[in-house]
Amino acid sequence: MDIFQKYVTMIQQDIRNAMRKRNGLDELSNFIMLIGFIFVVTALFTKNWIFTLVGAAFIVLCYLRVFSSKKDKRKNENTIYMKYMGGVVRGVDYITLCIRMKIKTLQDKEHAFFVCSGCRQIIRVPKGKNKVSIRCPKCNKTFIKRT
């Protein structure tokens, strides 16, 4: 077992050394991979080989970006992507956080949970107070919510 553990450790170190010079995963690569999988799943339902080819092309493009050694070019591409899509990503994250806090509010009998739209701070308020003015302790933004 000791020899096996040593072999696994050597492989992990080799992979780390190889990936240190590569771009790795970033937001744009994740998006390209998602688009590729959407095309592949669409091909499964429509049985159209064109969707399979397009999906495979997106997945290959994603892997080319991940294993690219031109870090500066990939970083610039990701910066441009985040400039245009970063707001959408942050909006989806905010909506997801609000939904999670709504579920947490339904589970907790004594407190309601809200998310500050300014700084994304989670604020806990006692239930049963009707409409209350809530001030965020982090950014001092005030908003009115029903508990």
Side-chain angles (χ1 to χ4, degrees), residues 43-59:
L44 289 173
F45 289 114
T46 62
K47 295 184 175 38
N48 192 341
W49 61 273
I50 293 175
F51 287 118
T52 306
L53 286 177
V54 172
F58 274 110
I59 292 170

Side-chain angles (χ1 to χ4, degrees), residues 78-136:
N78 191 52
T79 303
I80 292 170
Y81 168 75
M82 288 305 290
K83 178 180 173 185
Y84 292 107
M85 293 297 287
V88 174
V89 171
R90 284 188 296 274
V92 169
D93 288 344
Y94 176 71
I95 291 170
T96 305
L97 183 60
C98 288
I99 290 171
R100 281 191 7 229
M101 290 305 110
K102 191 69 169 174
I103 292 169
K104 195 170 181 178
T105 298
L106 292 173
Q107 292 172 345
D108 193 343
K109 302 293 182 195
E110 297 177 7
H111 298 96
F113 295 88
F114 299 102
V115 180
C116 175
S117 60
C119 64
R120 310 279 162 83
Q121 175 74 26
I122 298 170
I123 303 165
R124 187 179 73 167
V125 179
K127 278 187 178 177
K129 304 289 185 189
N130 283 334
K131 284 188 178 179
V132 292
S133 177
I134 303 169
R135 185 185 58 82
C136 176

Side-chain angles (χ1 to χ4, degrees), residues 17-81:
N17 289 337
M19 288 304 292
R20 193 171 291 138
K21 301 170 188 163
R22 304 293 176 214
N23 182 48
L25 276 175
D26 56 7
E27 289 84 5
L28 180 56
S29 298
N30 289 336
F31 180 71
I32 292 171
M33 182 68 77
L34 176 68
I35 296 297
F37 279 129
I38 288 172
F39 271 102
V40 169
V41 169
T42 304
L44 289 173
F45 289 114
T46 62
K47 295 184 175 38
N48 192 341
W49 61 273
I50 293 175
F51 287 118
T52 306
L53 286 177
V54 172
F58 274 110
I59 292 170
V60 167
L61 177 65
C62 173
Y63 278 105
L64 288 174
R65 279 186 49 78
V66 167
F67 294 112
S68 173
S69 60
K70 299 177 182 175
K71 286 185 172 183
D72 293 335
K73 287 186 177 183
R74 302 296 89 83
K75 186 176 179 182
N76 289 340
E77 292 168 356
N78 191 52
T79 303
I80 292 170
Y81 168 75

Side-chain angles (χ1 to χ4, degrees), residues 7-20:
Y7 183 71
V8 169
T9 305
M10 286 176 27
I11 290 175
Q12 288 175 341
Q13 289 175 348
D14 288 344
I15 291 172
R16 262 191 233 110
N17 289 337
M19 288 304 292
R20 193 171 291 138

